[in-house]
Amino acid sequence: METNLKYANDLIDFLYESPTAYQAVRNIKAALLKKGFKQLHRGESWNLEKGGKYFTTKNASSIVAFIVGTGKIEKEGFRIIAAHTDSPALKVKPSPEIVGHGNFLKLNVEVYGGPILNTWLDRPLSLAGRVALRSSNPLRPIVKYINIKKPLLIIPNLAIHLNRQINEGKEYNRQKDMQPILRMVEDNFEKENYFINLLSKYLKVEAKDILDFDINLYEYERGSIIGENKEYISAGRLDDLSMVHAGIGALLDSDVNKATNVMICFDNEEVGSQTKQGAASPFLKDVLKRIIWTQNSDSDAFLKAKINSFGISADNAHSVHPNLYENYDPKLQTTINAGPVIKINANQNYSTDALSSATFEMLCDRAGVPVQKFVNKSDQKGGGTLGSILSSQLDIRIVDVGNPMLAMHSIRELAGVKDHYYMKQVFDEFYK
């Protein structure tokens, strides 16, 4: 249990330091560089060596890291784990300042992905993301990253005395109900460019040089290990940074093998992946082709390597809810701390089939880890994830898996301490 807790606390540290995809990728880069990985730039030629450790990024929010195998790449193929760096959030709009009734200064925000909106209320919130600055080359703005790490904002509920029906169900208006309060408006207050000036203060740059920004709100409070027996991880962004953490950890701990081990962390899964840095883009396929080109000049080497490759799409799964069990399949109900979950869907929302499922089950068996299976209740439409989207770009065998969790897409999700280390052990086995 001590090893499980240590690894879970390491995850909580990673989550706290990764409030947006940009910070997550920066933290991943730092960990890779510390372990001897070399950064590659997509606009330059690559000279890769067998046994070499490399990574490259896209949009500063997606990253792929790999260790080149020692075997013939067209014969040994790739061992790929895919996860995503983004989570549902509230994103700050341009010129966001709104002075509301009562002299409250609010920020105008829009919803990213599919968060459980009411969980964002009555919590201290902060700001993080990236800022684009004026440069001498219009095609290459200067980029600064920001994580304020202070409780700056809050979205207050309406008192029950003024809304007696609030516990009978409320539909939240994304424009009206979700605007956070930043401060009170005082005499001589200058509303115009207040947010830009705030960013310039924390970045220590001139406000006139700030041209635009990608800034999200996030829960200020740190995640926790909770429960009488310290069994649960309570934190934001477990979906899907917990799989990023386990996958990158497994790659860092892996030895050089005959196959080429790959860990890909995509952005924008929560909004459909149809972006230049998403799973529906050619980002991963292009990287794999470039690896092939440095190892084998045959025109069909990439096609042969795909046949001998396997992928794990790692995005979290649903544990049965003890109070709302009727929302799940009557037979296949997964639970927390009972092992990784294979996700199955007849309509291919998940890429799992009998063969890829069998492969993952055997990996779990070899790692000494229990395994579960999840299928949606037949009269309920579930979500999709990376596997099927990635298959449209890279037609290899893929299984969709994840760890069981509760409150997925809440600002604070719940997962298992044991499960997180279980998944790391399966990833370790896969990279062997």
Side-chain angles (χ1 to χ4, degrees):
M1 189 63 179
E2 185 177 342
T3 301
N4 295 341
L5 279 172
K6 186 176 184 299
Y7 200 61
N9 277 304
D10 190 67
L11 169 62
I12 288 173
D13 291 342
F14 175 65
L15 294 170
Y16 182 70
E17 297 295 337
S18 305
T20 77
Y22 306 111
Q23 279 75 32
V25 167
R26 285 168 64 83
N27 291 328
I28 293 165
K29 283 175 61 175
L32 292 167
L33 289 168
K34 187 176 180 180
K35 280 294 189 90
F37 282 71
K38 178 183 177 182
Q39 182 166 7
L40 303 169
H41 299 283
R42 291 178 298 112
E44 299 175 0
S45 297
W46 292 3
N47 182 20
L48 309 181
E49 299 176 355
K50 288 188 181 296
K53 301 179 178 183
Y54 307 94
F55 71 90
T56 191
T57 66
K58 194 165 189 179
N59 190 51
S61 61
S62 291
I63 185 167
V64 57
F66 56 93
I67 301 175
V68 180
T70 58
K72 291 183 177 180
I73 200 162
E74 69 276 16
K75 180 181 177 182
E76 302 296 339
F78 300 98
R79 305 291 178 265
I80 302 168
I81 299 173
H84 64 88
T85 57
D86 63 319
S87 300
L90 301 178
K91 186 170 189 249
V92 181
K93 295 181 180 180
S95 304
E97 304 88 352
I98 297 176
V99 177
H101 292 278
N103 290 332
F104 291 99
L105 180 67
K106 305 183 295 181
L107 291 187
N108 195 12
V109 298
E110 61 180 325
V111 176
Y112 175 87
I116 302 176
L117 293 176
N118 65 2
T119 65
W120 284 76
L121 276 61
D122 302 325
R123 294 178 186 264
L125 304 171
S126 192
L127 298 164
R130 69 176 176 183
V131 179
L133 305 176
R134 193 182 310 278
S135 72
S136 58
N137 181 356
L139 297 180
R140 293 287 184 268
I142 295 169
V143 178
K144 297 285 187 180
Y145 298 93
I146 186 168
N147 180 10
I148 294 180
K149 282 190 177 180
K150 290 183 179 179
L152 292 179
L153 307 111
I154 197 163
I155 308 170
N157 254 304
L158 182 65
I160 194 170
H161 313 80
L162 306 177
N163 182 9
R164 295 289 181 182
Q165 289 75 46
I166 193 166
N167 290 326
E168 298 171 18
K170 171 178 170 55
E171 182 178 350
Y172 288 87
N173 183 291
R174 296 181 172 213
Q175 179 62 55
K176 182 178 175 64
D177 294 327
M178 302 309 294
Q179 293 177 355
I181 294 170
L182 179 59
R183 59 164 290 171
M184 301 301 295
V185 174
E186 302 163 349
D187 292 341
N188 302 317
F189 174 77
E190 294 185 10
K191 182 189 72 157
E192 297 305 316
N193 293 322
Y194 181 86
F195 188 70
I196 292 290
N197 289 325
L198 181 74
L199 296 178
S200 73
K201 180 179 77 171
Y202 283 102
L203 287 173
K204 294 181 171 52
V205 299
E206 294 291 330
K208 63 181 176 59
D209 290 331
I210 297 178
L211 300 178
D212 213 333
F213 49 80
D214 294 310
I215 301 290
N216 287 356
L217 277 63
Y218 71 92
E219 183 194 22
Y220 170 72
E221 297 294 339
R222 186 187 191 87
S224 303
I225 303 294
I226 66 169
E228 172 66 18
N229 295 320
K230 299 181 179 179
E231 297 170 281
Y232 308 117
I233 305 168
S234 171
R237 301 178 301 284
L238 287 169
D239 175 23
D240 189 35
L241 288 183
S242 62
M243 296 296 97
V244 169
H245 179 261
I248 289 292
L251 186 69
L252 291 174
D253 291 343
S254 68
D255 296 322
V256 177
N257 293 299
K258 289 184 178 180
T260 295
N261 291 338
V262 181
M263 177 66 200
I264 173 74
C265 307
F266 289 110
D267 194 6
N268 301 133
E269 188 275 343
E270 299 293 356
V271 291
S273 298
Q274 303 286 327
T275 63
K276 65 185 182 300
Q277 58 273 357
S281 76
F283 177 37
L284 177 59
K285 181 170 66 176
D286 288 349
V287 169
L288 299 184
K289 283 183 175 180
R290 294 184 75 166
I291 296 171
I292 290 277
W293 293 335
T294 66
Q295 304 298 306
N296 189 316
S297 59
D298 293 348
S299 59
D300 62 350
F302 178 62
L303 301 179
K304 289 188 285 188
K306 286 195 299 179
I307 300 299
N308 295 308
S309 298
F310 191 86
I312 298 176
S313 164
D315 196 3
N316 281 303
H318 300 294
S319 166
V320 66
H321 195 298
N323 302 337
L324 301 165
Y325 52 86
E326 65 276 6
N327 290 284
Y328 301 79
D329 183 87
K331 182 75 182 295
L332 293 168
Q333 296 185 353
T334 66
T335 193
I336 286 175
N337 285 327
V341 176
I342 299 171
K343 303 192 290 186
I344 301 165
N345 181 268
N347 295 308
Q348 291 296 290
N349 284 346
Y350 304 130
S351 58
T352 307
D353 58 23
L355 301 183
S356 62
S357 175
T359 295
F360 191 79
E361 283 196 66
M362 287 187 283
L363 288 170
C364 289
D365 183 61
R366 292 177 66 164
V369 166
V371 64
Q372 310 178 77
K373 292 184 179 180
F374 173 85
V375 180
N376 277 301
K377 192 179 176 186
S378 296
D379 58 358
Q380 189 174 65
K381 181 178 172 58
T385 184
L386 297 168
S388 293
I389 296 169
L390 184 57
S391 294
S392 66
Q393 284 290 331
L394 195 65
D395 52 334
I396 66 172
R397 294 173 298 146
I398 299 178
V399 62
D400 269 299
V401 304
N403 274 337
M405 63 185 297
L406 290 167
M408 187 181 289
H409 288 197
S410 169
I411 199 172
R412 203 169 182 95
E413 300 162 324
L414 189 73
V417 169
K418 288 182 181 178
D419 286 331
H420 188 55
Y421 194 63
Y422 281 153
M423 189 65 85
K424 165 64 161 53
Q425 289 176 290
V426 181
F427 290 167
D428 287 340
E429 188 65 37
F430 179 56
Y431 280 149
K432 290 177 185 177

